Amino acid sequence: WGSRQAAGASDVGRVCGAIAASLSGAFADATRVWARVGWLSFGGPTAQIALMHRVLVSERGWLTEDEYLDALGFCMLLPGPEAMQLATYAGWKLHGVRGGLVAGLLFVAPGALVVLALSVVYAAFGQVPLVQAAFRGIQAAVLVLVVEALLRIARRALTHTRQWVVAATSFVAIFALSVPFPLIVLGAGLLGAAWPLARTPQPAGALTSIPWRATLRTVALWTAVWTLPLLGVVAVFGPRHILSQLAWFFSKLAMVTFGGAYAVLAYMSQDVVGRHGWLTARQMLDGLGLAETTPGPLILVTEFVGFLAAHGASPAAPCGYGVLGAGVALWATFAPCFLWVFTGAPYIALLRSRPRLQGALTSITAAVLGVILNLAVWFAIHVLFSNVDSWRAGPVQLAVPVPATLELRTLGLAVASGVMLLLLRWSVHRTLLVTAAAALLVEFLAR
């Protein structure tokens, strides 16, 4: 009996070892896949979502079609960048918390390194005429990219008259009345929850098996991970320092910016340029252009904003403070994503079982389209015109371009970018490269 017991223990050991080796191999394989996705995730959230669908559903079969769409809907309901959160959820689904961490970090890290390098170059040489000319070409292409994203999402999301009304109301509210984006999202969500579209409820699965204490521990742990380093910045530099201001601003942004990267950019751009004055409108556009040319989430533009805002904090070490500002912006932007995903992921089946939650998500998506249209108009005005006036009548305040200051070269580059992207179906990188080169050529010939 003893020999049989020893043999059985040996068999169990071999089985456990084989399982551990198998899991280790699967995790290593997933890590390599996430690294590849991180370096190839160009073109903004729409292209990134399409890339992950191909890899996760079509090529690897790690998620089913329904699982992927449910996860996407869940991530769009969260504040922050939906593509990065989708990667984090997929990693969590495959290998738990460590899988989510690896997937989320590898999705962000390549682009973060590139944006940091480009921010340093921009701070040093951004005012050189030839560099400005190259960015003018990038800005023109970015306008078309935003419009293209608007059209793609609209075709998929606006399927009922009610959604068109929500999108139009959202645009008017933020463009003409300067209603804060969080209030627009809240109103749209409440409307969708109170008046959901007709859907067939789906079973929620074993939701009751999730211990509430485990959820509270997850919230406490990841809230501490997010806030403690930023509180340390405030303790070291003081609450009035630019780094502390960046920590507060981007933390607030992480909590209230629903609807994905373009919604975040619309809200952030107006505050960074108009309220705080950390960047000019053109610098903001240049930052968006840099983010468009790099892999990773488009919201990495927050790193560019953090770098330039803190760059002049200390004349003795401007680049060092710029790097600190970029780090604060990155941490405050992306650390909360792990909190949202790891807390909500176990409950994702709830979206399929609650028509009111689905209605809120659908209505919020429609409102986001109105915000994206506002972003497109706001960027177009500041890119195509040198001077922009403000017109006010009661609660209505509009940005009005001065027609005589229309920049014909930039308009021509935007039209050419539209032909390349929308008609010829060129890639984002090819289009940006050609428009930047064309802008340099025009600048050279004009001299």
Side-chain angles (χ1 to χ4, degrees), residues 66-347:
D66 286 343
E67 287 175 333
Y68 186 85
L69 293 178
D70 285 345
L72 177 59
F74 166 70
C75 293
M76 289 187 68
L77 191 59
L78 300 175
E82 73 275 26
M84 180 266 184
Q85 291 167 338
L86 180 59
T88 302
Y89 170 81
W92 173 89
K93 182 77 172 177
L94 293 172
H95 298 106
V97 172
R98 67 168 183 166
L101 278 172
V102 167
L105 291 175
L106 289 179
F107 191 83
V108 172
L113 293 174
V114 176
V115 169
L116 180 60
L118 292 177
S119 299
V120 173
V121 173
Y122 181 88
F125 305 106
Q127 301 304 314
V128 176
L130 290 179
V131 174
Q132 289 181 315
F135 277 116
R136 188 180 299 118
I138 292 175
Q139 291 168 1
V142 166
L143 280 177
V144 180
L145 288 171
V146 173
V147 173
E148 184 185 29
L150 176 66
L151 295 175
R152 285 184 178 179
I153 298 174
R155 283 195 295 266
R156 186 171 65 245
L158 301 184
T159 57
H160 294 77
T161 302
R162 188 193 316 170
Q163 294 167 310
W164 282 96
V165 172
V166 170
T169 303
S170 171
F171 170 74
V172 172
I174 196 168
F175 180 75
L177 302 176
S178 300
V179 177
F181 178 71
L183 293 182
I184 295 174
V185 168
L186 177 62
L190 291 176
L191 174 64
W195 190 18
L197 297 172
R199 304 242 177 161
T200 303
Q202 312 234 352
L207 292 175
T208 56
S209 64
I210 304 171
W212 62 269
R213 289 185 179 86
T215 300
L216 290 180
R217 284 196 299 269
T218 299
V219 171
L221 171 63
W222 289 99
T223 299
V225 170
W226 168 23
T227 58
L228 289 181
L230 300 178
L231 291 174
V233 170
V234 176
V236 171
F237 293 96
R240 296 182 179 275
H241 195 274
I242 183 63
L243 293 177
S244 301
Q245 294 180 40
L246 290 172
W248 166 245
F249 175 76
F250 286 113
S251 294
K252 181 179 66 173
L253 199 73
M255 291 187 289
V256 301
T257 45
F258 295 84
Y262 286 107
V264 176
L265 292 172
Y267 178 62
M268 180 182 69
S269 299
Q270 293 182 348
D271 270 24
V272 166
V273 175
R275 181 180 177 186
H276 296 289
W278 291 334
L279 276 72
T280 66
R282 287 200 170 273
Q283 286 176 324
M284 191 69 222
L285 287 169
D286 291 343
L288 181 56
L290 286 177
E292 287 282 7
T293 64
T294 60
L298 184 61
I299 197 58
L300 280 171
V301 68
T302 58
E303 181 184 14
F304 176 84
V305 172
F307 184 93
L308 286 192
H311 183 263
S314 172
C319 189
Y321 271 84
V323 172
L324 288 176
V328 168
L330 280 176
W331 191 270
T333 299
F334 292 105
C337 296
F338 295 107
L339 167 63
W340 313 141
V341 173
F342 291 154
T343 301
Y347 298 91

Side-chain angles (χ1 to χ4, degrees), residues 14-30 95 98:
R14 284 196 296 270
V15 170
C16 291
I19 293 175
S22 175
L23 290 175
S24 178
F27 183 71
D29 181 48
H95 298 106
R98 67 168 183 166

Side-chain angles (χ1 to χ4, degrees), residues 70 200-207 347-355 358:
D70 285 345
T200 303
Q202 312 234 352
L207 292 175
Y347 298 91
I348 195 170
L350 190 66
L351 281 175
R352 303 184 68 191
S353 66
R354 299 292 188 271
Q358 286 189 333

Side-chain angles (χ1 to χ4, degrees), residues 34-57:
W34 290 120
R36 178 165 61 90
V37 168
W39 282 108
L40 295 178
S41 56
F42 293 96
T46 303
Q48 291 157 1
I49 290 169
L51 171 66
M52 283 191 286
H53 180 274
R54 184 193 313 164
V55 173
L56 300 176
V57 179

